[in-house]
Amino acid sequence: MGKKNRPRRGSLGFSPRKRASRIYPRVSSYPEVKEKIGLLGFVGYKAGCSHVIIVDDRETSPTYMKEIFSAVTIIETPPLYVCGVRAYVNENGLKSKFEVWSNKLPPHINRKVPNLKIKDSKKHNMDRIKENIDEIRELRVICCTQPKIAGISKKKPEILEIKIGGSEIGEIVDYAEKLLGNEVKVQDVFKDGQYIDVIGVTKGKGFQGVVKRWGVHLLSHKARKRRREVGSLGSWHPAKVLWTVPRPGQTGFHRRTEYNKRILRIGEAGVLKFDGVEQSVTPKGGFPHYGVVKSDFVIVQGSVPGPSKRLIFLRHPIRLLKPQPEKGPKIIFYKS
């Protein structure tokens, strides 16, 4: 048997493998969507996994129009409350210049920001944005999650920004004004069958050695007093350990993006409807470590990073190389 030709264990593309800055991800890049005005992302709580049998609707697939098995992830997506609008201008990069907050805020937001005070009225601030509309390059809404509506025992919300897509800045400002102080549902942002990007923070595994962290081979049993280490730290000169050498350290709890995941179905009130059948998306006894899905939800094909109850950011695809499907595939069976 000849020598195996393969890259070294562990990708250097994810270096440095450091802890995420916070437990739910930050999103700085958005695609250029100019076809219609709307939010370019949404968030939800990972409930758990299951599997479905669907009819493959990909024309270039060898299993086209055949029934296939697919693992899925259920993400509960209760409505987001739009607390404010933030306008960015271009001054050596995007900088926040104008900010509007709604006069009516949900009471649970005080758990996240205890001393939040709104000084100016909504109308006055929106007028300032409209007067300086030529300077504005980007508009984002400040959203507040509502975990109390979901099936998890959590009361403190998360606050995050989501960009508004569109071609005309005037229409974007009018759209943001309509959203301010109202709820947004996942059905307003995504549709069945479309591709999305999933951004999340992976499971934390703490401080681990090189075998678990990088997947290096165990040394021979004749190695002196060690097996779960690298064979060599490098040459004598230069007299230093290069960053490419596998070393122990933080494993997991990394911010990761998975591109072009497909939404199979969007449901309401925890009920999945397909082929004339209505059934609960929650399995008997509830999802392990999560519970019962009570509000709107999204069924994503494949796996999603992070444990149950972790907040997942769903974004319009930024690297899509094919057109979006018009509808989702036909579901034959769902394991509940």
Side-chain angles (χ1 to χ4, degrees), residues 42 66 121 141 148 154 157 164 176 225 234 257 305 321-322:
F42 207 83
K66 295 181 180 179
S121 66
V141 294
K148 192 175 181 180
K154 179 181 178 180
I164 303 176
K225 294 184 179 180
T257 302
L321 301 178
K322 49 189 173 182

Side-chain angles (χ1 to χ4, degrees), residues 120-186:
D120 299 326
S121 66
K122 177 173 65 175
K123 184 178 182 305
H124 174 70
N125 281 283
M126 291 306 299
D127 290 342
R128 286 185 60 199
I129 292 180
K130 292 178 180 179
E131 291 172 0
N132 300 274
I133 199 169
D134 295 334
E135 303 178 26
I136 297 173
R137 293 294 175 266
E138 190 172 297
L139 216 65
R140 300 186 184 186
V141 294
I142 304 172
C143 294
C144 172
T145 61
Q146 303 185 84
K148 192 175 181 180
I149 303 177
I152 57 177
S153 57
K154 179 181 178 180
K155 297 180 180 179
K156 180 182 288 189
E158 294 89 4
I159 300 177
L160 62 152
E161 291 183 1
I162 301 178
K163 182 182 175 181
I164 303 176
S167 56
E168 297 293 333
I169 190 65
E171 297 177 356
I172 295 176
V173 172
D174 294 338
Y175 179 79
E177 189 174 10
K178 293 178 181 178
L179 291 184
L180 188 61
N182 297 312
E183 291 184 348
V184 181
K185 291 189 173 184
V186 67

